[in-house]
Amino acid sequence: MPSLSLESRLDGVVGGKTAAALGRAFQMQTVGDLLSHYPRRYARRGDLTPIDSLPLGENVTIVAEIRRVSERAMRQRRGSLLEVVIGDGLSEVSLTFFNQQWRMSELRPGRRGIFSGKVGQYKSGRQFAHPDYVLFDGDVENTLRTTAAFSNAMIPIYPATSSLPSWKISQAVDLGLDSLGGLDDPLVGEMRERMQLLPFADALRGIHRPETDADVDAARRTLRMHEALVLQTALLQQRQFVRALSATTRASESGGLLDRFDAALPFERTTDQISVGDQISADLTTPWPMNRLVQGEVGSGKTLVALRAMLQVAESGGQSALIAPTEVLAGQHLRSIARMLGPDLAPALMPTLLTGQQGTAERRKAALRVASGQALIVVGTHALLSDKTTFADLGLVVIDEQHRFGVEQREALRAKGTSPHALVLTATPIPRTVAMTVFGDLDVSTIRSMPTGRAGIETFVAPVAEKPGWFDRVWARVAEEVGKGHQAFVVCPAIDPTASTAAARDDDADAADAPVAEGAPAKPRWGVVQAADLLGRHPLFGSIRVATLHGRMPGEEKDAIMRSFAAGQIDVLVATTVIEVGVDVPNASTMVVLDSDRFGVSQLHQLRGRVGRGSVAGLCLLVTEAAGGSPARSRVEAVARVSDGFELAEIDLELRGEGDVLGDLQSGARSSLRLLRVVDDAALIGLARDEAERILEEDPALSRHTGLSSAIERRLDVAERAAMARA
């Protein structure tokens, strides 16, 4: 076979059938894709896998020894059942094969091999039904069983599927390695030597064909640096690309809209609001598009900062579009903006709502205002992305809660202007390492200080599995708060967990479909339907006005309910996480989160930010049945213990790991980490950032760093680079 490159098609190396299977299972297309599918661990022929630790219901690959083999006729149907018992010296698991007597000739007691299958339960023991396996060669086994060479030989165990077991992937990897020609190294010689890293080819061999643990460690260290440098260089290239575009400068005028707005503010802006506002104002005067992320706690004043940017754009006749993830939040933003503008400025800017739930006549009227340029501030949902929505001069795109939108949706809005400035808002504090890894092409601003006059929030865990009596006390506290004239939220992870999955899921909620953390019940107990029914029958709630809200309600109905709640016409609102962002009801003093272990740390922190927003002290009660000491319970207790969102973000990253955090991102470019770990490799990421900046300063086109350029193209294919450019 002639020498191939990492860009070579996979079917030319492993054959069409195997290439198709690898493509379906892991989206592999090239030799490079295959060789970047790294082993998750290594087994040794001399080390049998502990069988007691095998998780039920999961596909596993283990090394074990055959103990017993037997065949018997089946009772209920014709044919025979072959049962093979394998063990690790302490425990055993059975393999079952139907009508495959011929396997007895190779599955002999005393032989060892690798066995792969889904762990099931049969009677009181574990079982693999029709597993895949590869036995160690008999002659080699007999010769080397007593030698260290046999026992210590390292067997790579790859992420696999039921149709592609680990050893089939290993065979494909061997073909790929053997077919490779020379490799262009992403790290130039000087850098590699300075960091004491391996040549690229040696690192690939070391991770796929190690002889010792030291081989694996050296290979992983090198390949982690490759990943970090590739990602950071690509992000910095994207920043260069944006700054190469031409944008209309939007300078504010003395005595203009912005000065009039500031003069009418009934409060002083916080130090952070002023400094972040100044950063944005300077960005808007540059000849390239602003690309800035503003992160801040719930209630820290991000909307105020964004509105001041919109006013600066409006000074030159430019329009601003704010896109929100839900109808409720879009309506909330419009009312908040109109209120902040006041009767003097609102008519001049004509803030306009445009959503898919509007009636035909109302929507047509709004669309005409937008197209004519009469509406200088436009707030909406996905309706802003419609081909029918056009702008006269779109100068600024504000994206609220960016994690709720796909890359394509964000690009569709930005494409409606000529390189408009972009401002992304998030109330989810982002750890520095994640910000550097995920939003490295954006300028990041942080609002830490909170406006004065906030009474604060107290948060308590109600572990009702251990202390059942606390459940009644939760509702008594809610009734007490309502009796004082305040209002309360009751948040549930689903609409109705007893219904089908589709019916139970809330389009605006994440928690109902979140992976269940260890220690949490298998499914939520409480949904909006169950909680509302409970309160409807509760003796303390006879005169308390209770309403429900969830993502499957029509937009007009959701908006009407939130208006009623904000007006004090509803005492207790039972809802899903549709109220997570943007709902501002200063009189709401209490929040109960049922099945709180179903939510993430950041999400719980955002939810509780809905109370304690005025002069009334907030109370958040996190109800959970998660076992004490479990990861699920640890998350909930962390939220109760820590009130600072930025500290919680770091705790969340430690508890969950970056797999979940980065898994939320919808750009393939940014979720393509293989070996890099955001928490553990923070220093490495920072070093890679510095190296990438130095490289691009000296060699902007990477003409002298062809290996790095090729690595970027391999890792970030055309679609991913396009996605990255649109983020």
Side-chain angles (χ1 to χ4, degrees), residues 632-653:
R633 179 73 162 269
S634 297
R635 288 206 313 262
V636 177
E637 290 173 344
V639 176
R641 186 176 67 253
V642 178
S643 59
D644 180 75
F646 293 92
E647 184 180 347
L648 271 177
E650 299 289 349
I651 293 172
D652 188 25
L653 191 59

Side-chain angles (χ1 to χ4, degrees), residues 232-377:
Q232 293 303 319
T233 306
L235 289 167
L236 290 172
Q237 280 183 324
Q238 175 55 27
R239 174 179 285 187
Q240 287 182 339
F241 170 76
V242 170
R243 292 190 173 183
L245 298 173
S246 296
T248 302
T249 58
R250 307 285 180 174
S252 60
E253 300 175 4
S254 178
L257 295 172
L258 195 52
D259 285 348
R260 288 163 59 190
F261 175 78
D262 287 344
L265 276 178
F267 53 81
E268 293 291 326
R269 288 185 291 151
T270 67
T271 303
D272 284 350
Q273 287 172 350
I274 292 172
S275 63
V276 172
D278 289 346
Q279 290 170 354
I280 294 171
S281 180
D283 285 348
L284 292 174
T285 62
T286 60
W288 59 78
M290 173 177 68
N291 214 22
R292 184 170 292 276
L293 169 73
V294 174
Q295 59 172 335
E297 294 271 17
V298 171
S300 62
K302 296 183 299 298
T303 304
L304 172 65
V305 167
L307 179 55
R308 293 186 76 258
M310 295 178 192
L311 287 166
Q312 184 169 333
V313 170
E315 297 270 17
S316 62
Q319 296 170 287
S320 297
L322 189 159
I323 183 166
T326 68
E327 301 271 346
V328 170
L329 184 53
Q332 175 80 41
H333 272 308
L334 185 80
R335 291 189 291 274
S336 177
I337 287 171
R339 186 171 62 249
M340 284 192 285
L341 289 174
D344 179 34
L345 290 176
L349 288 116
M350 198 171 289
T352 297
L353 183 68
L354 188 58
T355 73
Q357 295 294 327
Q358 290 174 312
T360 303
E362 183 182 9
R363 185 171 176 180
R364 183 181 297 117
K365 184 178 179 181
L368 285 173
R369 285 181 180 175
V370 176
S372 66
Q374 190 178 17
L376 294 176
I377 295 178

Side-chain angles (χ1 to χ4, degrees), residues 519-713:
K523 63 181 294 186
R525 178 189 295 271
W526 293 100
V528 170
V529 172
Q530 288 73 23
D533 178 65
L534 170 70
L535 298 185
R537 294 182 285 104
H538 200 288
L540 295 177
F541 282 70
S543 60
I544 293 177
R545 299 165 296 179
V546 178
T548 60
L549 180 71
H550 58 74
R552 289 191 173 271
M553 291 178 169
E556 291 181 4
E557 184 179 357
K558 287 189 290 187
D559 196 52
I561 290 170
M562 275 313 309
R563 284 174 181 267
S564 296
F565 188 60
Q569 298 163 359
I570 295 169
D571 299 314
V572 177
L573 185 62
V574 183
T576 58
T577 53
V578 68
I579 58 95
E580 179 184 351
V581 289
V583 177
D584 189 4
V585 182
N587 190 48
S589 67
T590 307
M591 174 173 287
V592 176
V593 184
L594 297 173
D595 289 327
S596 58
D597 45 78
R598 315 286 302 189
F599 300 85
V601 168
S602 296
Q603 194 174 33
L604 287 173
H605 181 64
Q606 268 204 322
L607 285 168
R608 70 172 167 189
R610 298 297 112 209
V611 298
R613 296 175 68 84
S615 58
V616 179
L619 173 66
C620 181
L621 302 174
L622 304 176
V623 180
T624 178
E625 294 183 55
S630 66
R633 179 73 162 269
S634 297
R635 288 206 313 262
V636 177
E637 290 173 344
V639 176
R641 186 176 67 253
V642 178
S643 59
D644 180 75
F646 293 92
E647 184 180 347
L648 271 177
E650 299 289 349
I651 293 172
D652 188 25
L653 191 59
E654 292 174 6
L655 288 174
R656 290 200 296 161
E658 70 277 358
D660 287 341
V661 175
L662 297 180
D664 292 339
L665 301 165
Q666 295 160 335
S667 163
R670 295 171 179 169
S671 59
S672 60
L673 304 187
R674 306 288 200 275
L675 297 173
L676 201 65
R677 295 294 173 261
V678 172
V679 178
D680 298 336
D681 296 324
L684 180 66
I685 292 168
L687 175 61
R689 182 78 169 185
D690 293 341
E691 291 290 343
E693 288 178 342
R694 181 186 61 79
I695 289 170
L696 288 174
E697 185 176 348
E698 297 174 357
D699 183 17
L702 298 181
S703 58
R704 299 192 304 277
H705 294 77
T706 55
L708 178 57
S709 178
S710 298
I712 292 172
E713 292 301 322

